[in-house]
Amino acid sequence: FVEDECGNFVADNATFEIVEDTIPPVFLNMPKDTTILCDRLMDPMQPLITDACDGNLTWVFSEVTSQDLDTTSCNHYNYNLQRIWSASDVCGNSIQDTQFISVIDTIVPSATLKQQLVFGCEDNLDSIPAFLTASDNCSSTTVSYQDESINNSVCQESIRRTWAIEDVCANTFIVLQTFQVQDFDNPTFTREPSNLTFSCDESNIEP
């Protein structure tokens, strides 16, 4: 219906057909595929979802992982993770997308060495905490060593120790340490001598 200033008008009609909604929702900021260290994995980031017609969307999130539950296995720290998002509108149009994450352990362990090490002859030279503290960003560590005598005398010995600190995925840190072993102990008697009295004609006197 249209009318001008003089009262002339015209009327007409039109028919509009609302077609069925066949357009699925859209993810606006889907997380990208990535490779990440085993100690840097973050909680999933929910992407924004929009739809051309419906603002009341239903979405579902799920994860699929190849991670081994055994913490003594390298596959507990090197594995693949899929984060799957799906969304649907009221007309049943749906969308699904997946973020692929590779989780890896490639960082060698670390060690904090004790400084100015001097030990006595009777000290326990196999006590690892007395020499260093080992750690890894993801897993437990195994510590081994080899010793080399570099200066040996009656009263003092210098030892060069090669440490190998290895994590569950065989990432290995090698470090050298030198320490001294000295004799700090005074001699001791295995049998204390006793005071004895002998006559002047006794010739067979044992010590």
Side-chain angles (χ1 to χ4, degrees), residues 52-162:
C53 299
D54 180 24
N56 185 23
L57 301 174
T58 301
W59 63 273
V60 176
F61 169 75
S62 62
E63 285 187 333
V64 178
T65 179
S66 63
Q67 184 181 32
D68 194 327
L69 296 179
D70 183 5
T71 57
T72 64
S73 168
C74 183
N75 291 329
H76 185 80
Y77 311 98
N78 281 330
Y79 60 95
N80 295 316
L81 176 64
Q82 297 179 41
R83 288 176 169 171
I84 305 166
W85 286 268
S86 60
S88 60
D89 61 20
V90 294
C91 293
N93 302 305
S94 62
I95 187 174
Q96 177 175 297
D97 209 340
T98 302
Q99 180 191 27
F100 294 91
I101 302 174
S102 296
V103 182
I104 58 174
D105 181 4
T106 57
I107 303 299
V108 299
S110 61
T112 301
L113 299 180
K114 304 293 178 66
Q115 302 297 322
Q116 297 179 348
L117 293 178
V118 179
F119 296 94
C121 297
E122 301 301 323
D123 290 338
N124 181 14
L125 301 182
D126 295 324
S127 174
I128 293 175
F131 291 88
L132 59 80
T133 302
S135 62
D136 185 69
N137 64 325
C138 292
S139 72
S140 59
T141 58
T142 301
V143 180
S144 60
Y145 64 85
Q146 290 183 338
D147 286 343
E148 177 188 4
S149 179
I150 56 177
N151 182 17
N152 191 5
S153 65
V154 175
C155 300
Q156 176 177 312
E157 181 182 11
S158 295
I159 297 176
R160 180 187 293 120
R161 176 166 289 184
T162 302

Side-chain angles (χ1 to χ4, degrees), residues 10-62:
V10 63
D12 204 347
N13 59 64
T15 301
F16 298 93
E17 179 182 0
I18 301 176
V19 299
E20 180 182 0
D21 178 10
T22 59
I23 301 175
V26 176
F27 290 118
L28 296 182
N29 60 339
M30 185 67 194
K32 298 182 181 298
D33 298 343
T34 186
T35 298
I36 196 167
L37 292 174
C38 50
D39 62 337
R40 302 291 177 86
L41 185 64
M42 297 182 294
D43 293 333
M45 182 182 66
Q46 171 65 27
L48 295 176
I49 307 171
T50 187
D51 187 73
C53 299
D54 180 24
N56 185 23
L57 301 174
T58 301
W59 63 273
V60 176
F61 169 75
S62 62

